[in-house]
Amino acid sequence: MNRAATVAIGLALLAAIGGAQRLVPDADLTYRPIATSGVVGEEVRVLPYTFRVDGVDLGRTLRLEKSFGDQTMTTGGVWVVVRAGAAATTEQVTLGTAVLRSADGAEFAVSDRVLGLEGESLQAGIWRKGALAFEILPGQVEGARLVISKARYSSIHRLNGALGPAVEIDLGLTRERLAAAGPTVTIKESAP
């Protein structure tokens, strides 16, 4: 074989290796929870629980009704309050992590200033209702989706997290909905 052919074959092999490396998916994408999608008002069932978003409210301030007096909270962004319910399907499960994922992939965690539905212990067939409050940038509201994953089971024979079930709800949020939002959202804080 002549030298030019050997160099050409070597370069072709290097190009093939480089192309194959680009085809390997990112580990975060490969092992992320497997989501079942839904919309507001629809019951979405995954193996450990059923979840339903009953409504979504937006506001610049949040009025939190507590047993020992109300509290008003402001934010540098917008409050997105998701009113929802959930029930375990076959065994006790703790509702997992809730995030609001914007259209561009940014994720906003549930506000740690409000106790809500996240992390609630669910019993089979018994619905628990509550709210999830998020502080989100106004420019991230349009197209935001609620994602709940990483449920924790009472039995130790189940895996949590990677490749587990997740719920992804389209909240129907638009710029027009943000513009029409009232100044204040009011919710009752869940008992600890």
Side-chain angles (χ1 to χ4, degrees), residues 79-172:
W79 286 100
V80 177
V81 175
V82 178
R83 299 176 195 278
T89 52
T90 58
E91 64 180 282
Q92 180 182 345
V93 66
T94 302
L95 195 60
T97 305
V99 297
L100 207 60
R101 184 177 296 148
S102 69
D104 68 1
E107 292 187 349
F108 297 85
V110 170
S111 176
D112 59 358
R113 299 195 286 164
V114 180
L115 293 175
L117 192 59
E118 184 184 49
E120 283 286 331
S121 180
L122 305 174
Q123 300 298 325
I126 300 174
W127 279 86
R128 296 285 307 249
K129 290 192 172 201
L132 300 165
F134 298 90
E135 299 175 69
I136 183 171
L137 297 170
Q140 303 283 4
V141 169
E142 185 176 10
R145 301 171 77 82
L146 175 68
V147 179
I148 300 185
S149 61
K150 301 177 186 166
R152 295 178 297 282
Y153 297 88
S154 59
S155 58
I156 61 171
H157 67 281
R158 299 206 190 263
L159 295 176
N160 299 320
L163 296 177
V167 169
E168 186 169 330
I169 308 290
D170 180 355
L171 299 175

Side-chain angles (χ1 to χ4, degrees), residues 7-23:
V7 170
I9 291 172
L11 290 174
L13 287 173
L14 285 174
I17 290 170
Q21 285 180 332
R22 288 192 187 106
L23 294 176

